[in-house]
Amino acid sequence: MPHSNTSAELLAHARTTIDLPADAAKALTALRTAAADFFTQDEAVKRAHGSDDFTYGFRPYGRQYSISPDRPDMNESFTYWADNPTTIPHHDAPSVTPFLQALRDYWAVAAGITEDVLADLATHYGQAQAVPPFRDYSYLEINWYHPTDRDLLQDRHEDGHLLTLAISDGPGLEIETGERMDPVPVHDNQLLVMPGSLLTAMTGDDIPPLYHQVRNHRLPRRLTVLFLANPPLDRTVPPFVNREGRTVDVGQLARTSGAMFGLPPAPSRPGAQASG
């Protein structure tokens, strides 16, 4: 069965780009503004909106790493799971409510794009009815980078998800092409779609994960918006295709993929974790 250009590019190049329409670009602009307002608040205010295990909401500077704990990522983060603001501690406080509203608006954009990409791939593999129901298990992550003298703000890694939809407001992202790390041009309204190792498992190794890193350009600030798509985390998830008699549970891989970045196992029902 023929597949779309998006699927064809992922299969051929392990990446693709998607231009945002005007209404989606407006939601992204609003999110960037709200994120900057949030991250420039006092540290104690931000920490009040993060869970103790760093799964939900604010994650402080240097808490996560890409390869080794002695080289932490040079950014603060905020994670918004399953389009559910009640996962965020003190979610009704004025210090976070504008940010959460902007996250909700952009969530609709990113989830719709992800649905289309996964549906294209499922159709390619003759599994049109097998698109994994990702919305209750995926999250937005906003990364706020700090000035540093280190050469890389994030070391070379792959994200360990099905897909990452990435866009940054400044240079630094580099992707692996062959044996080189090539810079990604900065576009105001163009998403880079990066497959992770879960999509590799879903496609029988047809689509490898896209390894990437973030180079330090000595910017005074840099903000990245990521949508990280997961399959269900509370059940067995079969791949689109099995090869060589292998039995793969993509859901089990998803539950434990964060360990390589120093994160706890993913919650089985992320959106059900309400906080006060």
Side-chain angles (χ1 to χ4, degrees):
M1 182 178 295
H3 45 77
S4 73
N5 288 338
T6 300
S7 294
E9 290 178 13
L10 284 170
L11 287 157
H13 306 296
R15 64 188 184 277
T16 189
T17 56
I18 294 176
D19 293 326
L20 292 175
D23 57 339
K26 183 178 179 180
L28 174 63
T29 297
L31 176 56
R32 284 170 162 166
T33 299
D37 289 343
F38 176 82
F39 281 109
T40 51
Q41 295 181 105
D42 184 79
E43 180 79 5
V45 173
K46 292 183 289 186
R47 283 180 178 264
H49 300 299
S51 64
D52 291 341
D53 66 354
F54 305 107
T55 296
Y56 300 103
F58 180 68
R59 186 179 297 154
Y61 181 67
R63 173 60 184 78
Q64 185 174 333
Y65 57 84
S66 297
I67 294 178
S68 172
D70 63 350
R71 282 184 61 88
D73 296 345
M74 299 287 98
N75 58 272
E76 302 171 33
S77 295
F78 192 96
T79 56
Y80 175 71
W81 283 81
D83 194 18
N84 184 356
T86 69
T87 60
I88 306 303
H90 308 291
H91 61 91
D92 53 356
S95 50
V96 77
T97 50
F99 189 21
L100 292 178
Q101 184 57 59
L103 286 161
R104 297 203 76 179
D105 292 343
Y106 185 72
W107 174 280
V109 171
I113 292 170
T114 299
E115 184 84 41
D116 291 342
V117 173
L118 293 176
D120 284 342
L121 285 166
T123 299
H124 169 71
Y125 286 102
Q127 301 284 338
Q129 306 304 313
V131 178
F134 64 90
R135 292 173 188 255
D136 287 343
Y137 310 93
S138 302
Y139 61 97
L140 282 168
E141 179 173 301
I142 315 302
N143 287 336
W144 179 262
Y145 288 88
H146 288 235
T148 178
D149 290 332
R150 213 175 75 182
D151 56 340
L152 295 177
L153 302 175
Q154 286 187 354
D155 292 322
R156 175 186 175 275
H157 66 284
E158 61 94 4
D159 287 340
H161 300 277
L162 289 171
L163 295 169
T164 300
L165 309 185
I167 187 164
S168 299
D169 65 357
L173 180 63
E174 298 177 347
I175 58 174
E176 191 166 80
T177 56
E179 297 182 355
R180 303 179 314 186
M181 300 300 291
D182 290 332
V184 175
V186 177
H187 294 283
D188 284 341
N189 302 315
Q190 187 179 80
L191 301 180
L192 176 65
V193 182
M194 302 191 294
S197 51
L198 297 185
L199 195 66
T200 304
M202 285 289 291
T203 60
D205 296 337
D206 286 348
I207 301 177
L210 183 62
Y211 282 86
H212 54 283
Q213 63 190 22
V214 180
R215 188 163 298 281
N216 188 2
H217 285 258
R218 292 350 190 239
L219 302 174
R221 50 149 283 186
R222 182 176 183 274
L223 186 144
T224 296
V225 176
L226 307 170
F227 184 81
L228 300 140
N230 287 318
L233 299 165
D234 57 355
R235 69 191 79 164
T236 298
V237 179
F240 291 142
V241 58
N242 273 308
R243 295 214 169 96
E244 300 176 359
R246 291 179 293 176
T247 301
V248 178
D249 178 1
V250 182
Q252 172 61 24
L253 296 176
R255 287 188 288 274
T256 58
S257 64
M260 60 183 169
F261 307 125
L263 299 176
S268 60
R269 295 291 298 176
Q273 303 294 320
S275 300

